Amino acid sequence: MNSLQLKAKEEHRIQKGHYWIFSNELVKVDTSIPAGTICRFETARGQVLGTGFFNPHNFRSSNC
């Protein structure tokens, strides 16, 4: 499973229940990941926040 890491201090909104992770909140956006791929999202410290679908075209990922 692909893992995408958020920048430092970007996890608070997600931890409070927001459904989207935006590209500017990630350390690196891997556009080689195909649309619809389920990815794991982690804090800057490596704590797993959840999983979601990657969309390289609209780049918003749903937190499950």
Side-chain angles (χ1 to χ4, degrees), residues 12-42:
H12 300 292
R13 192 174 50 77
I14 301 304
Q15 289 173 326
K16 290 183 180 185
H18 197 275
Y19 290 107
W20 304 112
I21 295 173
F22 299 100
S23 60
N24 64 321
E25 297 170 326
L26 294 173
V27 171
K28 178 184 174 191
V29 178
D30 185 352
T31 56
S32 69
I33 299 171
T37 299
I38 297 175
C39 296
R40 176 184 11 244
F41 293 90
E42 302 175 351

